[in-house]
Amino acid sequence: MAAVPGTEPQGATRAPLRWKEGEAMTGGATGHAVSIGDLRELARRRLPRVIYGVLEGASEDERLLALTYERLRAWSLVPRRLRDVSVRTQATELFGRTWSSCFGIAPTGTIGVLRRDIEFHLADAARQANIPIGVSGASARTHEAIAEHAPGQVWSQLYAATDPAITRNLVERAEAFGAGALLWTVDLNIAAKNDRLIRAGFGVPPRLSLGAKVEALRHPGWLLEYLRGGMARLDQWAQYAPADADPMAVHRFYLSQRNACQSWRELELLRKLWKGPLIVKGILHADDAVRAAELGADGVVVSNHGGFGLDHGPAPIDMLPGVVSAAGEKTVVMYEGGILRGSDIVLARCLGARFCFVGRATLYGASAGGATGALRAIDILKDEIDRTIGHLGCPDARDLGPGYVRAPA
Ligand SMILES: Cc1cc2nc3c(=O)[nH]c(=O)nc-3n(C[C@H](O)[C@H](O)[C@H](O)COP(=O)(O)O)c2cc1C
């Protein structure tokens, strides 16, 4: 659980659970979940403590994660009265396609340990909900295989590899399977120090200590999948590793290719290689947004990687207005970080984000109940967005703007 006071996010408070323990073990209870917090609790029950830490942890003291939640909720939404809100819409047009809402699923890696084939579950949910899904450069399954579950909806995330031929090939593959956008992540050039996982003896490549294995006996639903194997794979990278590499060796090869010296030069290279929408993910400083736009990026994601990386960094919501005003009309600014309620998404839209991404919210759902659980998370957020724009007196989410916001004192 939370390492420092205040990390416990609002909206994730433990509700009195109405479902039976057995249901929670199988994930069959996600249909009863009322909030993302309920799904979080179901995920916590299903997963061994160490594995839950993969989902819940962040860097060092987790100060940044706590701040991300805290600052998001410090802003207020100011409703306008006596407007007809009987017909409401949150449908959003982005890069030539209309999505059912103004958020998608953020790319998350090392998640194979949460549930077998979790990326397929997330993609199935994204397809059913008609929202985009970012797929991590460190995915357990190949982007091609995941895209079969959500054709035309996968956005391919990558870090530039040390070997430029691999970067080039990753981009060619994204083009070949029809990725809707390329998400180039720039905020984790070196690995995060995740104290929670280090203390628990969870290694990268993913490996369980003896204590964790013993604790796992109390989580039979998860353990069964673990014993069937295949949870710690990294198929996306298997073709680049030496021919006889087992999953652990593939992980080690992937880590050896993480490019600590990736710089703006790579953006120029990617712009030449990739003709579709190119998004720089992990921007916090307004000047970096301007630079990205100058070098041809179509969009930026204001993000702190879910609290990984620089633990003394700022909350992304506080940086969003500055990035929006610096980036200019042509650059699509998006937001992610700490979203657990539909109103969080509405707030980010009011502050100028055209689109949002959620990481943990859908992971809680998918960890607890596969595609059904992930879809439940999406439905909960959509329902809350719908109610929030109704309460605000702004029936079309496209009309949200700074006029509906009160900044923290
Ligand atoms: C378990 C986990 C793994 C992640 N892996 C990646 C990754 O491989 N690539 C990436 O660009 N971002 C990654 N992220 C960051 C997410 O894309 C996103 O920025 C973050 O989850 C948003 O915050 P939220 O979880 O509060 O919604 C990861 C986040 C989590 C929680």
Side-chain angles (χ1 to χ4, degrees):
M1 296 303 284
V4 289
T7 309
E8 190 76 7
Q10 184 201 325
T13 45
R14 199 172 304 171
L17 299 177
R18 284 172 297 152
W19 47 85
K20 299 187 204 79
E21 200 63 37
E23 275 187 314
M25 289 298 185
T26 61
T30 53
H32 299 289
V34 173
S35 67
I36 300 299
D38 290 351
L39 293 172
R40 177 178 186 248
E41 173 58 14
L42 286 172
R44 191 187 66 76
R45 287 189 192 188
R46 182 178 169 274
L47 299 172
R49 199 171 47 84
V50 180
I51 302 298
Y52 183 66
V54 171
L55 175 53
E56 203 67 338
S59 278
E60 301 179 358
D61 295 322
E62 299 179 6
R63 167 204 167 271
L64 181 58
L65 185 60
L67 188 74
T68 299
Y69 290 124
E70 193 183 303
R71 295 300 298 170
L72 193 54
R73 276 143 202 109
W75 291 76
S76 298
L77 291 167
V78 184
R80 301 299 309 272
R81 302 301 186 204
L82 298 174
R83 292 174 173 178
D84 182 353
V85 291
S86 52
V87 180
R88 299 175 298 283
T89 178
Q90 56 190 279
T92 304
E93 199 266 328
L94 190 63
F95 302 128
R97 177 163 174 165
T98 302
W99 305 99
S100 69
S101 188
C102 42
F103 71 95
I105 298 176
T108 50
T110 5
I111 56 170
V113 292
L114 300 174
R115 179 180 279 277
R116 194 183 167 92
D117 291 338
I118 191 166
E119 290 142 346
F120 293 164
H121 291 289
L122 288 166
D124 284 336
R127 187 190 69 251
Q128 288 180 53
N130 184 27
I131 62 171
I133 173 171
V135 175
S136 166
S139 56
R141 299 298 196 150
T142 62
H143 290 198
E144 291 86 346
I146 299 167
E148 281 177 27
H149 289 252
Q153 291 177 232
V154 165
W155 293 14
S156 195
Q157 182 262 319
L158 57 77
Y159 303 92
T162 306
D163 178 350
I166 295 181
T167 307
R168 188 180 297 272
N169 188 258
L170 287 166
V171 175
E172 285 164 2
R173 284 171 60 191
E175 191 178 351
F177 78 74
L182 204 64
L183 287 165
W184 179 46
T185 297
V186 297
D187 58 0
L188 209 61
N189 279 11
I190 61 162
K193 178 169 176 270
N194 188 329
D195 291 11
R196 195 196 281 242
L197 292 187
I198 296 170
R199 278 194 204 100
F202 183 83
V204 177
R207 225 186 343 250
L208 288 187
S209 66
L210 181 64
K213 282 181 185 146
V214 171
E215 210 255 327
L217 291 172
R218 293 168 48 208
H219 301 270
W222 181 87
L223 188 62
L224 209 63
E225 287 189 346
Y226 180 73
L227 294 175
R228 279 167 60 211
M231 295 179 84
R233 53 204 292 164
L234 194 60
D235 291 1
Q236 177 70 0
W237 277 77
Q239 69 184 80
Y240 307 119
D244 55 349
D246 64 11
M248 288 298 141
V250 175
H251 261 98
R252 278 192 292 275
F253 179 78
Y254 164 72
L255 292 175
S256 76
Q257 285 292 322
R258 281 293 293 273
N259 190 347
C261 62
Q262 69 174 2
S263 71
W264 293 108
R265 270 196 324 271
E266 269 78 20
L267 180 55
E268 294 178 57
L269 175 73
L270 290 172
R271 186 64 291 177
K272 284 193 191 114
L273 292 175
W274 173 255
K275 303 294 168 240
L278 177 58
I279 318 293
V280 181
K281 177 179 182 296
I283 292 292
L284 289 169
H285 198 293
D287 292 353
D288 284 344
V290 172
R291 185 87 189 266
E294 282 169 358
L295 293 177
D298 300 289
V300 296
V301 185
V302 175
S303 167
N304 62 15
H305 210 111
F308 292 99
L310 182 67
D311 199 31
H312 251 278
I317 198 72
D318 290 333
M319 308 311 287
L320 177 61
V323 169
V324 169
S325 61
E329 279 290 297
K330 272 175 57 195
T331 311
V332 177
V333 178
M334 292 169 268
Y335 173 84
E336 62 188 19
I339 291 171
L340 296 171
R341 289 283 185 190
S343 52
D344 298 331
I345 294 170
V346 170
L347 172 72
R349 292 278 294 108
C350 288
L351 292 177
R354 290 257 292 278
F355 210 75
C356 293
F357 286 91
V358 300
R360 291 181 180 85
T362 36
L363 285 181
Y364 293 144
S367 300
T372 310
L375 197 56
R376 183 77 194 129
I378 295 165
D379 284 345
I380 288 170
L381 292 172
K382 277 188 183 173
D383 174 59
E384 290 175 353
I385 291 171
D386 182 61
R387 290 169 195 266
T388 304
I389 60 178
H391 288 309
L392 267 186
C394 181
D396 189 332
R398 286 172 300 190
D399 298 330
L400 292 166
Y404 293 101
V405 173
R406 182 173 180 276

